[in-house]
Amino acid sequence: MKLPGNMQQMMQQAQRMQEKLQQEIAQIKVEATAGGGMVTVNMDGQKHVTGVKIDPEVAGDVEMLQDMVMAAFNEAVKKVDAEIQQKMGGMLGGMGLPPGLF
């Protein structure tokens, strides 16, 4: 089925924007800390952990360490989500779509 010219152009534009968004998401790098910097987590745009640093001072208290690692991971995920939302908002705004559509 052939789409009308204007609709086809919009679909092509949407596909280009999706590809650009995926490229930008791949470049996202965030760092989140917990416990005043005692635990640091690095994460990329696909929410893959790329690094973890743990201050040796907290290694002896396992429960506290577990809580700080979990907090740092959760904060990193929030940061990635916020950056993705920001990038999507900027791109979708250029299409003239109503806010909140996606």
Side-chain angles (χ1 to χ4, degrees), residues 3 14 37 40 44 47 53-54 58 64 68 79 82 87 93:
L3 297 172
T40 302
D44 67 16
K47 298 180 184 169
K53 294 179 192 167
I54 299 173
V58 296
M64 185 171 69
M68 284 192 278
K79 286 183 175 187
K87 290 182 185 304

Side-chain angles (χ1 to χ4, degrees), residues 22-102:
Q22 288 174 346
Q23 290 171 353
E24 287 188 20
I25 288 172
Q27 295 176 8
I28 292 174
K29 306 269 187 270
V30 300
E31 180 177 285
T33 62
M38 296 189 117
V39 174
T40 302
V41 171
N42 297 307
M43 189 174 282
D44 67 16
Q46 281 87 28
K47 298 180 184 169
H48 296 137
V49 176
T50 59
V52 176
K53 294 179 192 167
I54 299 173
D55 187 318
E57 286 184 34
V58 296
D61 187 344
V62 175
E63 284 186 34
M64 185 171 69
L65 178 58
Q66 290 169 338
D67 289 344
M68 284 192 278
V69 169
M70 186 171 51
F73 275 88
N74 288 336
E75 184 62 27
V77 169
K78 285 180 189 176
K79 286 183 175 187
V80 169
D81 287 342
E83 286 204 34
I84 290 172
Q85 280 296 107
Q86 182 181 9
K87 290 182 185 304
M88 284 181 66
M91 285 189 161
L92 294 177
M95 287 187 72
L97 298 173
L101 185 63
F102 290 99

Side-chain angles (χ1 to χ4, degrees), residues 11-28:
M11 295 296 287
Q12 289 173 348
Q13 181 183 7
Q15 185 174 358
R16 285 191 302 271
M17 290 177 77
Q18 181 181 7
E19 289 168 0
K20 183 178 179 194
L21 179 62
Q22 288 174 346
Q23 290 171 353
E24 287 188 20
I25 288 172
Q27 295 176 8
I28 292 174

